[in-house]
């Protein structure tokens, strides 16, 4: 990294304190930023502080942090008052996936922050080029796409819209290393960015296989976990092809690609669940049936696993081989 920063001197605002807003807040506090966390709806105030504290307690238990939660919480303000964002250099909007709501939130943010602050959205799939039209300084507007739970995951996409100033995107890219990320800079806006385009191609095929009777939900999940799940934290799709022999992929895709699903309809399987009020583990109603206790245990297990896989990911960063080479060369020089 060429640039160095003192994160303590970069106050960050997080707007929206749902699932992701809380874990993003935790990630930023751990990185040393003062954080102003805005609750756009009163219900956020009921759970945000407790959720943030819970993440910090767990992070301490898992040795992700070395101080008590209170140390980090001293750097946090939770409020409904947007004017407290005034001195923030960076804002991360994290409200529900709805353009009109996000638009109204940008108005409240830009009414108070300075003109040179950076404004970002954690949108999953709304093009940044559309969202940035609602900011007075679109060149300072970016996507910052996190993965839950944000304080343990290494994923982050920094996305430039059509009007974004790429040099500011590069600044966010460098800064996000201080948040424990291994980021991707998406230099040209595309719907779904990188991660979701890859994931949704897989979801589409998964729905196709189940809806057409090739396999059950359980079988598709099992294949996914034990095939891609086994190597993805190390390799990524291109490295995987390198590791296992490129010509075989060339041969297989020639015959397989024409048979893959390319439907543009919402699959009935998910449509029925959503119309019936199913949210997944959150209300024990999804692709699987859960008792409330099972749903709670799945949620806990997911969080437990996220710490575990983080440890593994840290052991195998993107430049793992470069580091091994360096170590070997150092050892040679020492001899
Ligand atoms: N959940 C994920 O894994 C995930 C991953 C990446 C990106 N995202 C994106 O992050 C954003 C937030 O997702 P989440 O999972 O935290 O959602 P969530 O439902 O947990 O939280 C949504 C938050 O939106 C705000 N909100 C709700 N109604 C509002 C209103 N009328 N006006 C202003 N604010 C309102 C509140 O702060 C609420 O807590 C979305 O854009 C989502 O697509 C989510």
């Amino acid at each position: 990294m060429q640039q160095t920063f003192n994160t303590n001197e970069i106050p960050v605002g997080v707007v929206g304190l749902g699932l992701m807003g809380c874990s993003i807040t935790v990630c930023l506090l751990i990185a040393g930023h003062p954080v102003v966390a805005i609750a756009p709806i009163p219900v956020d105030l009921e759970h945000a502080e407790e959720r943030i504290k819970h993440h910090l307690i767990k992070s301490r238990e898992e040795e992700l942090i070395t101080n008590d939660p209170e140390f980090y919480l001293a750097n946090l303000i939770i409020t409904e008052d947007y004017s407290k964002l005034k001195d923030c250099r960076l804002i991360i909007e994290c409200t529900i996936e709805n353009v009109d709501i996000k638009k109204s939130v940008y108005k409240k943010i830009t009414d108070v922050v300075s003109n040179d602050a950076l404004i970002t959205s954690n949108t999953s799939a709304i093009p940044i080029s559309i969202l940035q039209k609602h900011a007075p300084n679109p060149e300072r507007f970016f996507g910052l796409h996190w993965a839950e739970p944000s304080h343990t995951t290494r994923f982050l996409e920094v996305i430039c819209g059509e009007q974004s100033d790429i040099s500011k995107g590069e600044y966010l890219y460098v800064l996000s290393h201080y948040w424990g990320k291994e980021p991707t800079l998406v230099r040209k806006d595309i719907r779904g960015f990188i991660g979701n385009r890859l994931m949704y191609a897989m979801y589409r095929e998964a729905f196709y296989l189940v809806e057409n009777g090739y396999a059950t939900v359980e079988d598709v999940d099992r294949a996914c976990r034990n095939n891609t799940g086994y190597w993805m934290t190390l390799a990524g799709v291109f490295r995987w092809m390198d590791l296992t022999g490129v010509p075989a992929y060339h041969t297989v895709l020639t015959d397989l690609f024409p048979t893959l699903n390319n439907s543009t309809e919402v699959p009935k399987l998910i449509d029925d669940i959503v119309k019936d009020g199913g949210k997944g583990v959150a209300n024990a109603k999804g692709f699987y049936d859960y008792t409330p206790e099972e749903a709670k245990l799945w949620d806990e297990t997911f969080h437990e696993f996220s710490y575990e896989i983080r440890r593994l990911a840290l052991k195998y960063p993107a430049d793992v081989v470069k580091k091994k080479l360096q170590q070997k060369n150092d050892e040679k020089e020492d001899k």
Side-chain angles (χ1 to χ4, degrees), residues 2 58 62 91 95 97 106 121 157 171 188 194 205 227 233 236 252 261 285 299 301 305 311 329 331:
Q2 303 100 350
K58 188 80 186 140
E62 298 285 343
I91 309 291
T95 58
E97 195 75 346
Y106 299 146
S121 174
E157 289 172 327
Y171 161 84
K188 223 165 79 174
I194 311 296
E205 193 57 34
N227 185 8
T233 296
V252 172
N261 184 27
K285 206 170 171 183
D299 188 50
T301 306
F305 181 75
R311 278 191 274 273
N329 289 338
E331 281 166 10

Side-chain angles (χ1 to χ4, degrees), residues 16-21 40-41 44 47 51 94-97 101-102 105 122-124 145-148:
L17 294 177
L19 182 75
M20 290 224 73
I41 51 172
D44 279 355
H47 62 69
R51 201 180 265 179
C94 206
T95 58
I96 50 171
E97 195 75 346
I101 287 179
K102 288 189 188 293
V105 164
N122 183 39
T123 176
S124 298
H145 186 218
W146 304 66
E148 177 67 12

Side-chain angles (χ1 to χ4, degrees), residues 231-284:
W231 50 264
M232 268 200 174
T233 296
L234 172 70
V237 284
F238 292 108
R239 182 87 63 197
W240 180 244
M241 289 189 275
D242 275 354
L243 279 168
T244 49
V246 179
Y249 290 90
H250 184 272
T251 308
V252 172
L253 69 80
T254 312
D255 292 334
L256 187 59
F257 271 14
T259 76
L260 295 177
N261 184 27
N262 62 6
S263 161
T264 56
E265 302 293 313
V266 173
K268 186 174 172 345
L269 187 60
I270 190 168
D271 204 40
D272 287 349
I273 293 172
V274 172
K275 284 186 174 147
D276 197 30
K279 291 184 177 173
V281 161
N283 66 352

Side-chain angles (χ1 to χ4, degrees), residues 286-325:
F287 294 102
Y288 293 87
D289 290 327
Y290 304 88
T291 64
E293 195 184 3
E294 278 173 338
K296 188 168 171 278
L297 274 175
W298 266 108
D299 188 50
E300 284 170 17
T301 306
F302 167 56
H303 280 93
E304 192 183 307
F305 181 75
S306 74
Y307 287 98
E308 195 108 18
I309 194 136
R310 179 189 162 85
R311 278 191 274 273
L312 196 61
L314 288 174
K315 202 168 148 194
Y316 296 95
D319 59 355
V320 60
V321 167
K322 245 187 219 157
K323 284 188 170 146
K324 283 188 179 189
L325 265 180

Side-chain angles (χ1 to χ4, degrees), residues 106-244:
Y106 299 146
K107 166 92 177 71
K108 290 179 188 160
I109 296 170
T110 53
D111 278 352
V112 293
V113 297
S114 82
N115 274 342
D116 60 357
L118 296 178
I119 300 180
T120 68
S121 174
N122 183 39
T123 176
S124 298
I126 305 170
I128 301 308
S129 305
I130 290 179
L131 292 179
Q132 70 186 168
K133 289 192 179 127
H134 305 294
N137 299 303
E139 72 285 359
R140 306 187 72 85
F141 191 103
F142 295 85
L144 265 191
H145 186 218
W146 304 66
E148 177 67 12
S150 314
H151 57 298
T152 64
T153 48
R154 306 270 285 150
F155 173 85
L156 186 82
E157 289 172 327
V158 180
I159 307 123
C160 298
E162 279 162 13
Q163 300 181 68
S164 307
D165 173 350
I166 183 108
S167 70
K168 307 277 185 303
E170 284 162 353
Y171 161 84
L172 288 170
Y173 176 86
V174 175
L175 181 63
S176 70
H177 286 83
Y178 287 77
W179 308 337
K181 301 302 167 199
E182 209 175 72
T184 299
L185 180 59
V186 186
R187 290 164 185 275
K188 223 165 79 174
D189 200 10
I190 181 164
R191 193 177 276 270
F193 322 128
I194 311 296
N196 274 343
R197 289 189 78 84
L198 295 173
M199 284 304 297
Y200 278 77
M202 191 155 78
Y203 292 145
R204 176 158 62 184
E205 193 57 34
F207 282 118
Y208 174 81
L209 292 171
V210 174
E211 289 190 340
N212 289 281
Y214 293 100
T216 62
V217 163
E218 289 89 341
D219 282 316
V220 169
D221 272 3
R222 212 173 299 118
C224 181
R225 288 172 50 232
N226 293 301
N227 185 8
T228 47
Y230 219 76
W231 50 264
M232 268 200 174
T233 296
L234 172 70
V237 284
F238 292 108
R239 182 87 63 197
W240 180 244
M241 289 189 275
D242 275 354
L243 279 168
T244 49

